Amino acid sequence: MSVRLQEGCKDWITTVIRFHGFANLPTTRDEYVSSPEFSCFGHQWRLDLYPGEEDSEVGYVDVELVNRSNTSIKIEYGYSVRNVDGKEVVHEEPEIDEFDTEDGNGESSWCTEDFAKRSKLMKSLVDGALVIEVRMKSTTRTDKSITQFIPPNPFMKNVDKLFIDEETADVLFEVGGEQAKGTTTRKKKRAKSTTTFHAHRILLKNNASALYEMCRGSSDLGITTVSITDVKPEVFKFMLYYTYGGKLTEDDLKNNSKDIIDACDKYGVVNLKLEAEACYVKSTTFTIDNMMDNLLYADSKNLALLKEAVMDYVVANKRDIIGKVSFDNVPGSTCTDILTAVARGEESGEGSTDYNSMRVGTLRKMLDEKELDVDGSRESMIALLKEQSA
């Protein structure tokens, strides 16, 4: 007798067992021959063959699957016999049984009575051997509908823990103070108190370029102190928190949008600057009285989205604006922005491949996808895209 394991259908394991010299095996009732043991699902198994029809009709052969391990297992199993041509001549439909070893005898078994007629098996021998395939399948199921908890990547959580972490910081920002001033040593203004923030160069490098430049030339040994006198401490904290992956609330952005824009524009926190700009545009009601201030502010800080919003307002309210607002002090590029807004009003521009008719949001998205600078005027963004496409 020999045993050979092979892969079966999905989730099934097939063990091929050969009972050599089947014609010469004893046919005395209750006598059986056993296959060598084989492993499956972490258990040891054996197949017993009763050539002499134990408890079966005369002329039939029984098979019995035996769990030789000391632990119980529930499986689905079945049998198949193939002839020399590989054609299946006997097929036993799978059934599910518990091979329970709790009775303490160290093994358990299930017998399949009247497995096949002996005469039929005699005609199906392969080189004198009866070849039986034992197919086994685990009944242990994992309900795929149950939502399993998978911990997320801890990177952002670990970075967040570094925010204002004094122990590991290599930079110290002193924010909000002023240099002492006065005409004599005895008469000096009292310096305003400062708020300190600990930070890490490596996180500033790609997230706050100007802040990184202020401390990059310092020694790697010890901590570098940098003074920041032109940003409110609470705004600086927002900006620093963002560089550590933090997300500002809508209220924080809305209540401090211009201060955040100013600070981020100076210290190179580009994405937060654009986020604050978008919040400012969303929360601002444009009027004839404030449109010019917003236009000049947008030009001074390269706020292309804000400038676009003002231009849309101008086009939509042109009849009310003519003769009431002077454009003498606006930059020359404003003329192009107005013409662009007019053209957008005449045609949708959606899906257009003409950079000049695209919205600022579309231009920024295209630049970001190409990993190019998104912080610039409309003209500079278009020039950059054209240069990339050339």
Side-chain angles (χ1 to χ4, degrees), residues 342-362:
V342 171
R344 267 199 312 272
E346 296 175 350
E347 54 186 59
S348 67
E350 296 296 331
S352 173
T353 57
D354 180 10
Y355 294 138
N356 293 308
S357 64
M358 290 180 180
R359 285 280 183 182
V360 166
T362 301

Side-chain angles (χ1 to χ4, degrees), residues 207-236:
N207 300 323
S209 56
L211 287 177
Y212 174 71
E213 291 296 328
M214 295 175 71
C215 59
R216 65 173 299 188
S218 304
S219 171
D220 291 335
L221 300 176
I223 192 166
T224 300
T225 301
V226 178
S227 178
I228 303 291
T229 61
D230 54 358
V231 179
K232 298 176 183 177
E234 60 269 25
V235 173
F236 187 87

Side-chain angles (χ1 to χ4, degrees), residues 28-148:
T28 306
R29 183 176 292 276
D30 297 339
E31 289 194 13
Y32 62 90
V33 290
S34 299
S35 74
E37 289 190 9
F38 58 93
S39 297
C40 190
F41 304 125
H43 286 63
Q44 290 299 115
W45 302 87
R46 187 186 74 221
L47 185 66
D48 291 345
L49 178 72
Y50 290 83
E53 312 94 30
E54 178 194 41
D55 298 328
S56 66
E57 295 294 332
V58 176
Y60 278 81
V61 172
D62 297 347
V63 291
E64 186 173 20
L65 184 60
V66 183
N67 172 23
R68 294 283 295 151
S69 300
N70 291 325
T71 55
S72 302
I73 185 172
K74 188 176 184 179
I75 63 166
E76 186 173 1
Y77 64 100
Y79 308 101
S80 175
V81 174
R82 298 182 185 275
N83 61 19
V84 69
D85 297 321
K87 180 181 178 181
E88 187 177 56
V89 294
V90 177
H91 176 79
E92 182 71 24
E93 287 296 328
E95 55 184 298
I96 298 175
D97 282 314
E98 176 83 31
F99 289 77
D100 189 355
T101 59
E102 292 183 359
D103 58 6
N105 63 5
E107 65 178 40
S108 60
S109 64
W110 282 93
C111 182
T112 301
E113 299 177 354
D114 303 336
F115 171 63
K117 283 188 176 182
R118 180 180 176 83
S119 58
K120 187 174 186 178
L121 295 178
M122 288 293 293
K123 296 177 183 179
S124 307
L125 302 181
V126 179
D127 295 329
L130 174 62
V131 181
I132 301 178
E133 295 181 357
V134 182
R135 298 167 181 170
M136 305 169 70
K137 182 178 181 180
S138 174
T139 59
T140 303
R141 298 286 189 270
T142 299
D143 189 348
K144 296 182 180 180
S145 67
I146 299 175
T147 302
Q148 302 296 332

Side-chain angles (χ1 to χ4, degrees), residues 330-348:
V330 299
S333 61
T334 301
C335 182
T336 301
D337 293 316
I338 293 177
L339 291 174
T340 300
V342 171
R344 267 199 312 272
E346 296 175 350
E347 54 186 59
S348 67

Side-chain angles (χ1 to χ4, degrees), residues 107-345:
E107 65 178 40
S108 60
S109 64
W110 282 93
C111 182
T112 301
E113 299 177 354
D114 303 336
F115 171 63
K117 283 188 176 182
R118 180 180 176 83
S119 58
K120 187 174 186 178
L121 295 178
M122 288 293 293
K123 296 177 183 179
S124 307
L125 302 181
V126 179
D127 295 329
L130 174 62
V131 181
I132 301 178
E133 295 181 357
V134 182
R135 298 167 181 170
M136 305 169 70
K137 182 178 181 180
S138 174
T139 59
T140 303
R141 298 286 189 270
T142 299
D143 189 348
K144 296 182 180 180
S145 67
I146 299 175
T147 302
Q148 302 296 332
F149 172 72
I150 301 175
N153 189 320
F155 177 79
M156 290 307 302
K157 184 185 294 185
N158 292 334
V159 171
D160 184 66
K161 292 178 181 178
L162 293 176
F163 179 57
I164 316 182
D165 181 57
E166 182 175 352
E167 182 179 352
T168 60
D170 52 13
V171 179
L172 177 65
F173 290 104
E174 295 181 342
V175 182
E178 292 182 346
Q179 299 292 332
K181 300 178 180 179
T183 56
T184 67
T185 304
R186 297 177 62 184
K187 294 182 178 181
K188 291 184 178 181
K189 287 185 178 180
R190 178 178 293 180
K192 293 182 180 178
S193 61
T194 60
T195 303
T196 59
F197 298 94
H198 290 83
H200 305 77
R201 284 189 187 87
I202 191 170
L203 293 176
L204 298 175
K205 184 175 182 180
N206 294 320
N207 300 323
S209 56
L211 287 177
Y212 174 71
E213 291 296 328
M214 295 175 71
C215 59
R216 65 173 299 188
S218 304
S219 171
D220 291 335
L221 300 176
I223 192 166
T224 300
T225 301
V226 178
S227 178
I228 303 291
T229 61
D230 54 358
V231 179
K232 298 176 183 177
E234 60 269 25
V235 173
F236 187 87
K237 185 175 182 179
F238 288 147
M239 183 171 62
L240 191 61
Y241 178 58
Y242 186 87
T243 66
Y244 280 71
K247 177 69 175 177
L248 274 63
T249 67
E250 190 71 20
D251 286 342
D252 287 337
L253 285 169
K254 183 178 179 180
N255 297 332
N256 302 275
S257 54
K258 292 190 75 171
D259 286 335
I260 292 174
I261 290 171
D262 294 344
C264 292
D265 182 65
K266 181 169 184 177
Y267 293 108
V269 187
V270 174
N271 288 18
L272 180 57
K273 171 189 170 182
L274 302 187
E275 189 174 342
E277 177 196 15
C279 181
Y280 179 78
V281 170
K282 180 181 178 181
S283 61
T284 298
T285 300
F286 297 105
T287 65
I288 293 177
D289 294 330
N290 70 19
M291 55 162 278
M292 190 56 64
D293 288 338
N294 280 303
L295 181 60
L296 295 174
Y297 179 63
D299 187 73
S300 68
K301 301 295 181 181
N302 270 330
L303 302 175
L305 182 65
L306 176 58
K307 183 180 284 190
E308 180 180 80
V310 175
M311 291 299 99
D312 288 342
Y313 173 81
V314 170
V315 172
N317 299 274
K318 52 185 178 291
R319 297 186 184 279
D320 297 330
I321 294 173
I322 293 174
K324 297 180 181 179
V325 178
S326 172
F327 287 83
D328 293 341
N329 296 323
V330 299
S333 61
T334 301
C335 182
T336 301
D337 293 316
I338 293 177
L339 291 174
T340 300
V342 171
R344 267 199 312 272

